[in-house]
Amino acid sequence: MLEHVTDAADPRLSDYTGLRDVELRKSLEAERGLFLAEGEKVIRRAIGAGHPVRSVLTTRRWLDPLADVLGDATVYVVSDEIMSGIAGFQVHRGALASMERLPLPSVATLLSGRAERILVLEDLVDHSNVGAIFRCAAALGVGAVVLSPRCADPLYRRAVKVSMGAVFAIPYARMDHWYDGLEQVRAAGYRLLALTPDQHATPLDRAKLGERVALLLGSEGDGLSSRWLHEADEPVCIPMSAAAMQAGVDSLNVVAAAAIACHSLMRSTV
């Protein structure tokens, strides 16, 4: 169902309004129950995960590569200039798709599954970091992700793009309440390991794991809150080089730390 559009202000394109305005997109996407997928690969993964297509915005040269997955979806065809104007940059992956969100499982439902290794993210607000951590978790075999209430939306366009669609490959749920959220995870049988840059903590590769383990990762700036550190069964760290410590390099950014930690976390399940 091709519809040619020649005006960026055409009301048919309202799902794609204000792509550079984060707050506007948050409210618009929540109100309409949608998210945006960018590029052929991500669109295919979103469709494969069961998300219905509301519409697709693309240019003529990208029609053929997507033809086999779009079915009878409405496709708005625009010029390169209009596409760049709407997106705010050149869309090198050729297309944007407005997709319908699916209901998230409750934390209780997620934890009742078979995942032996999960991540629990506390107040990570950067969409790129959340997307990258989902990619690490999915690639290394982590079974699920639990988000604190203030974590960034994994289906925000930047998070989806950075994850390369990995947000569709790993189940996740969002806590209703932060204060007692960890108790629910522990009650489901998970041992809680709190990742901290404190080098007095147990090196992660020496930590006691057990059958079910939840690794807690904190916010980009302050790390885990004192409450979550206190509630964890054991604080763990990624050992830093002594030379690096002397030079003032005492920690990794949260994405690099997540990648290393996920790899270490999976060591007893292989």
Side-chain angles (χ1 to χ4, degrees):
M1 297 176 61
L2 300 183
E3 298 186 21
H4 293 269
V5 179
T6 58
D7 183 355
D10 191 304
R12 291 176 291 178
L13 304 185
S14 61
D15 279 1
Y16 306 93
T17 297
L19 295 188
R20 288 166 287 178
D21 188 328
V22 176
E23 294 307 315
L24 173 62
R25 290 305 307 182
K26 285 181 182 177
S27 60
L28 184 151
E29 293 183 12
E31 176 186 332
R32 299 183 186 178
L34 65 86
F35 68 94
L36 293 186
E38 179 182 339
E40 179 188 356
K41 181 179 292 186
V42 172
I43 292 171
R44 287 181 181 276
R45 289 181 175 174
I47 293 172
H51 292 277
V53 181
R54 290 167 60 94
S55 68
V56 174
L57 178 66
T58 188
T59 57
R60 177 173 291 280
R61 65 194 176 99
W62 281 93
L63 290 176
D64 288 343
L66 288 167
D68 63 306
V69 294
L70 296 181
D72 60 357
T74 299
V75 180
Y76 299 121
V77 183
V78 298
S79 66
D80 289 336
E81 291 73 23
I82 290 180
M83 184 65 125
S84 295
I86 291 173
F89 55 88
Q90 183 66 40
V91 181
H92 296 294
R93 294 177 177 87
L96 294 170
S98 174
M99 315 288 297
E100 291 185 15
R101 291 175 181 255
L102 301 175
L104 281 182
S106 67
V107 173
T109 299
L110 188 76
L111 297 179
S112 68
R114 300 174 61 184
E116 297 179 0
R117 302 288 183 263
I118 68 171
L119 298 184
V120 185
L121 310 186
E122 183 187 30
D123 296 354
L124 272 76
V125 297
D126 184 281
H127 293 97
S128 294
N129 286 345
V130 168
I133 289 172
F134 265 77
R135 188 174 184 181
C136 294
L140 293 168
V142 172
V145 178
V146 176
L147 308 172
S148 75
R150 293 192 296 186
C151 274
D153 178 11
L155 292 186
Y156 187 74
R157 180 170 59 108
R158 182 66 181 165
V160 175
K161 179 179 179 180
V162 170
S163 81
M164 288 301 294
V167 293
F168 308 121
I170 184 167
Y172 68 95
R174 189 179 292 274
M175 293 176 175
D176 294 324
H177 305 288
W178 163 83
Y179 190 80
D180 56 359
L182 290 186
E183 185 53 42
Q184 188 175 18
V185 181
R186 177 180 281 110
Y190 286 91
R191 177 172 171 77
L192 307 180
L193 300 182
L195 189 64
T196 170
D198 184 354
Q199 296 295 288
H200 294 97
T202 304
L204 183 53
D205 59 0
R206 298 182 192 170
K208 177 183 176 182
L209 296 184
E211 184 177 346
R212 303 189 106 192
V213 179
L215 181 70
L216 316 182
L217 295 173
S219 66
E220 293 86 349
D222 298 328
L224 288 166
S225 65
S226 58
R227 178 173 179 81
W228 277 30
L229 278 169
H230 177 74
E231 284 194 42
D233 295 305
E234 185 175 11
V236 294
C237 71
I238 297 170
M240 297 287 107
S241 151
M245 294 284 288
Q246 290 176 359
V249 181
D250 61 356
S251 64
L252 298 162
N253 69 49
V254 69
V255 175
I260 294 170
C262 286
H263 183 271
S264 181
L265 196 65
M266 301 306 295
R267 70 182 187 271
S268 67
T269 66
V270 210

